[in-house]
Amino acid sequence: MDMTLDADIAAMAEIIARRPPLDLANVDIPALRAAVNAAGWPTERTEMASVEDISVAGGVGTIPARLYKPRGDDTLPLLVFLHGGGFVLCTLDTHDNFCRALAKAGDCAVLSVDYRLAPEHRFPAAYEDAQTAFEWAVANAAALGCDPQRLALAGDSAGGNLAAAAALHASPDARRVLRHVVLFYPAADPTASGASYETYPQTPFLSAEMMRWYWRQYVGEPADLVDPRVALLRSGDIANLPEMTVAIAEFDPLRSEVEAFCMALAEAGVNIEARHYDGVSHGFASMVGLVGKARLAIDHAGARLRDAFAARG
């Protein structure tokens, strides 16, 4: 299908097109991770008052995390962030600039979580780390110098799946202080069967084939394809979620499942604002400084976070 790409996305797509295609049948995952980690797109770096690497106490050991504070003169609300990368790739460093931009836009501290990756750690490992990290953040917000009554969750792509799942399955105490959830093009359906897989099978930063490969690495058992902890479209208890903000890319194999999840949330009575960004592809929001609409998406999410944090609890 013809895609009229945003000029910024088109420029980056030209660079990516010069690279050799990825052989998914014989992919060397450690080498792929190293290449992704070293890619280092020169995105915009937002200055922070403080950035600190910390450890989150988990059920299977500690989980690495990084705490960002855009200013140090107040007790800030806390946003727990889960990075994308298909459950297989990316680190705290790959999403460093994304977290800095979100912290500044939302005027909040951001706790970025480095959950376990597949295929070494299949479902539910990443989900369990996300859930553990969020519950830990709720219990330890004050010790981090943050407001324990004002928390939020966010994530992009695979991280959007984890953020939504953490919200859906949060404890009663955590739900009481969860003010908002921000999702950037979240992976919602591990069956990878949405219509947009056929409509947009090949986009600059994600193909339908690649997304299906990611799901195979993370969800190893057929029964897990319908587990509501990963299959967001099968989550039954969505009516009690806090208000949400969702960014949807026009050209994305995941578009139809993201739209279906948003529709289910709206029909359940959740206060959700879903915004479409024309001309861009999956992954655009992490390219702040390179893609103009990344800044639009982050600024919109930040405004929604500020409003949620300012509302009376």
Side-chain angles (χ1 to χ4, degrees):
M1 181 176 180
D2 179 58
M3 294 187 296
T4 303
L5 293 173
D6 171 90
D8 294 334
I9 293 287
M12 297 184 69
E14 287 183 10
I15 297 171
I16 292 171
R18 300 189 196 113
R19 299 175 178 175
L22 187 63
D23 179 6
L24 292 176
N26 300 291
V27 64
D28 182 328
I29 292 177
L32 178 59
R33 286 176 181 152
V36 169
N37 295 345
W41 293 102
T43 55
E44 182 178 302
R45 190 172 189 272
T46 305
E47 291 302 319
M48 294 283 102
S50 66
V51 178
E52 180 184 4
D53 286 341
I54 64 174
S55 294
V56 170
V60 292
T62 58
I63 304 166
R66 184 172 294 164
L67 182 65
Y68 300 83
K69 291 185 178 179
R71 54 189 178 87
D73 58 347
D74 200 0
T75 301
L76 295 169
L78 179 60
L79 172 69
V80 177
F81 179 82
L82 289 308
H83 67 74
F87 307 99
V88 175
L89 308 174
C90 296
T91 64
L92 298 178
D93 290 337
T94 61
H95 283 63
D96 180 77
N97 290 349
F98 198 169
C99 290
R100 289 169 179 266
L102 273 175
K104 183 71 171 180
D107 193 31
C108 59
V110 171
L111 182 69
S112 183
V113 178
D114 204 13
Y115 54 87
R116 288 171 290 168
L117 298 176
E120 297 91 339
H121 305 284
R122 294 188 185 273
F123 173 79
Y127 161 80
E128 290 174 345
D129 286 355
Q131 193 72 30
T132 295
F134 176 54
E135 298 287 344
W136 181 91
V138 171
N140 291 275
L144 297 175
C146 299
D147 186 343
Q149 299 301 314
R150 294 185 295 162
L151 278 86
L153 277 159
D156 66 312
S157 193
N161 176 283
L162 298 173
L168 283 161
H169 301 284
S171 67
D173 285 345
R175 282 203 178 193
R176 276 193 288 271
V177 298
L178 179 60
R179 298 290 189 91
H180 202 86
V181 179
V182 177
L183 307 176
F184 298 89
Y185 32 82
D189 180 12
T191 68
S193 57
S196 52
Y197 274 82
E198 304 303 323
T199 309
Y200 306 115
Q202 188 70 45
T203 67
F205 309 114
L206 181 69
S207 69
E209 182 186 17
M210 188 73 186
M211 191 64 218
R212 287 177 173 131
W213 180 85
Y214 283 137
W215 278 124
R216 290 196 298 273
Q217 308 315 302
Y218 181 49
V219 183
E221 299 296 329
D224 291 336
L225 294 173
V226 295
D227 190 309
R229 295 174 297 172
V230 66
L232 301 183
L233 296 176
R234 293 181 176 269
S235 299
D237 185 21
I238 62 176
N240 293 323
L241 285 172
E243 62 182 39
M244 302 182 73
T245 301
V246 181
I248 304 172
E250 180 179 9
F251 304 122
D252 185 354
L254 304 185
R255 177 176 169 175
S256 57
E257 67 196 58
V258 177
E259 292 173 337
F261 185 52
C262 290
M263 183 176 296
L265 290 165
E267 289 175 350
V270 176
N271 176 356
I272 177 171
E273 185 172 323
R275 183 166 291 191
H276 288 77
Y277 293 87
D278 295 337
V280 296
S281 62
H282 187 94
F284 80 96
S286 63
M287 301 169 192
V288 61
L290 293 173
V291 176
K293 287 181 179 176
R295 172 57 64 189
L296 292 179
I298 289 173
D299 284 350
H300 177 242
R304 292 272 290 169
L305 284 166
R306 293 195 307 273
D307 286 348
F309 290 140
R312 186 179 297 274

